[in-house]
Amino acid sequence: MNTQYLQFNEKDLSTAGEFIRQGKLVAFPTETVYGLGANAFDVEAVKSTYVAKGRPSDNPLIVHVHCKEQISQIARTISPDAEKIIDNLMPASITVVLPKRSIIDDCITAGLDTVAIRMPESVQARTFLRHCVVPVTAPSANTSGRPSPTTWQRVRDDLDGKISAVLCGEPCNVGIESTVLDLSGDEPLILRPGIVTPEQIEKVLGKKVTIVTDPKSKVNSPGVRYKHYAPKIPMALNLDGDVAKIKDCYDNLVKEGFNPVLLVESPQSFKGCNAVCIGTNDDEVAHNLFENLRILENDYDYIVASFSSKTAFAQSILNRLIRSAGNNLF
Ligand code: TXA
Ligand code: MG
């Protein structure tokens, strides 16, 4: 398949929208990561998303909308809590899980009775979605298991020749995926942490939210079970910023014959080592995280990362780093 690279002008946006309505796959920018869009009302189109990504079919997809009216097209009921989140926090980097209408096929929800819905903050994303008219399913536009793409060039690296088009927009501002908030049960549950923090959600709802951390838990986002965000080379993750420990790990790898690189908060503390800055604050760390992994895997053969920030947003970044490192922590 010849993948078309479309620009943000009226003509190309019309083409992108037309492609979606015809059942083709179009990757598009959002503020979190690039998404791989398909018409949510076209079962064959949705199924082809799983094939293009190599994604397990029991991992459900998020349906993307450009306005609040579209939410009631796909959600069966909107609880008072859901209404509060929709009115006060959307559009933003948050996804809500609500009871689904029957128009939403099982292949989107992996057989669950709920549907995940997101209205991106990115104006480019909502402009694209408006041109689609229909709601659009979109997982991150990467090969399943790989770090999510935050530029259109990274989408090309993974999916060129496998999808109809890439809408080439700006690099993603946030850099990690949306917060997933399950509002389908008795109590609000955060299934995946993101830039929208539990505190922000609690403030809007006026009640406590539970963060589901056990990946084996039944009440869980199926997606968190899988290998995720992994670079092609092995990775170890340090959680306390202890310079001597990190240096030790690096030296041992060199002795074993590796050509490692440090991805750390203060590369200047590691004279004589290959060292890259992970970011000077949480926003920067998130923004560069997946791109850093994709750059370093080409130049080195082992990544030793360290991240010790303790803010609420840092917990979301850590969630990705731990998975990237395949739980190889020290
Ligand atoms: O920021 C984002 O959310 C990006 C951009 C493209 O919008 N999308 C994204 O999609 O991260 P994906 O497919 O990589 O992750 C979707 C997550 C998975 O963890 C999945 O299990 C969860 O949402 N999910 C989807 N439907 C669900 C449902 N009905 N119940 C619980 N979790 C659900
Ligand atoms: Mg993903």
Side-chain angles (χ1 to χ4, degrees):
M1 184 185 301
N2 179 29
T3 302
Q4 293 193 32
Y5 290 84
L6 303 173
Q7 305 303 315
F8 265 85
N9 56 49
E10 213 32 63
K11 179 171 159 283
D12 280 10
L13 280 163
S14 299
T15 303
E18 189 60 36
F19 277 2
I20 289 289
R21 289 189 300 279
Q22 288 169 353
K24 296 177 176 166
L25 301 183
V26 179
F28 65 100
T30 82
E31 77 283 6
T32 56
V33 301
Y34 269 72
L36 179 56
N39 180 352
F41 295 153
D42 181 336
V43 171
E44 290 314 312
V46 171
K47 284 185 177 161
S48 68
T49 319
Y50 290 93
V51 178
K53 273 183 65 88
R55 177 178 174 112
S57 62
D58 60 346
N59 188 5
L61 302 173
I62 297 172
V63 180
H64 293 64
V65 299
H66 65 83
C67 66
K68 292 177 182 174
E69 290 65 41
Q70 275 188 309
I71 298 178
S72 34
Q73 270 190 298
I74 52 189
R76 193 170 68 236
T77 49
I78 298 179
S79 65
D81 278 354
E83 217 150 279
K84 284 184 196 158
I85 295 292
I86 293 166
D87 287 346
N88 294 289
L89 278 182
M90 287 190 177
S93 307
I94 188 167
T95 295
V96 289
V97 175
L98 299 175
K100 79 170 185 80
R101 282 192 189 277
S102 53
I103 191 164
I104 295 297
D105 192 87
D106 278 350
C107 71
I108 295 178
T109 64
L112 296 170
D113 190 36
T114 55
V115 57
I117 305 172
R118 161 157 146 77
M119 194 193 308
E121 187 168 7
S122 155
V123 173
Q124 286 200 334
R126 279 183 283 137
T127 303
F128 162 70
L129 292 168
R130 207 173 51 244
H131 281 80
C132 295
V133 184
V134 292
V136 171
T137 53
S140 47
N142 53 305
T143 299
S144 194
R146 299 269 299 136
S148 300
T150 54
T151 64
W152 67 262
Q153 291 91 339
R154 293 306 182 187
V155 178
R156 181 182 59 191
D157 289 348
D158 279 17
L159 298 177
D160 186 59
K162 295 181 176 168
I163 62 178
S164 292
V166 178
L167 194 50
C168 303
E170 56 206 14
C172 305
N173 196 25
V174 175
I176 63 170
E177 302 84 349
S178 62
T179 305
V180 178
L181 174 67
D182 186 353
L183 291 174
S184 66
D186 294 337
E187 52 162 347
L189 303 172
I190 292 180
L191 303 181
R192 180 175 72 183
I195 193 168
V196 177
T197 60
E199 290 72 22
Q200 280 174 279
I201 294 167
E202 285 171 352
K203 204 164 154 210
V204 168
L205 294 181
K207 62 167 108 163
K208 278 272 169 218
V209 298
T210 304
I211 303 166
V212 179
T213 48
D214 176 7
K216 293 189 194 76
S217 164
K218 287 227 165 44
V219 281
N220 214 313
S221 227
V224 302
R225 282 200 301 268
Y226 297 103
K227 180 180 163 198
H228 255 97
Y229 320 122
K232 288 176 181 157
I233 59 176
M235 176 167 159
L237 176 65
N238 167 272
L239 300 173
D240 60 14
D242 183 329
V243 171
K245 239 161 83 181
I246 299 166
K247 181 81 173 51
D248 242 26
C249 174
Y250 182 95
D251 288 343
N252 284 333
L253 287 167
V254 172
K255 270 186 217 139
E256 286 172 37
F258 284 102
N259 176 29
V261 61
L262 299 173
L263 182 62
V264 292
E265 285 154 316
S266 51
Q268 65 279 10
S269 311
F270 299 91
K271 295 262 165 353
C273 302
N274 305 318
V276 170
C277 184
I278 194 168
T280 52
N281 56 56
D282 292 344
D283 287 347
E284 200 179 298
V285 175
H287 180 80
N288 295 337
L289 181 63
F290 293 136
E291 185 60 18
N292 273 332
L293 298 181
R294 282 179 180 252
I295 291 172
L296 296 180
E297 70 182 11
N298 289 325
D299 297 341
Y300 302 95
D301 56 20
Y302 210 114
I303 298 171
V304 179
S306 172
F307 184 60
S308 57
S309 171
K310 296 285 179 267
T311 63
F313 185 33
Q315 296 312 304
S316 312
I317 298 169
L318 212 50
N319 168 280
R320 291 1 182 239
L321 275 167
I322 290 171
R323 284 160 202 280
S324 299
N327 228 8
N328 181 16
L329 312 178
F330 71 101

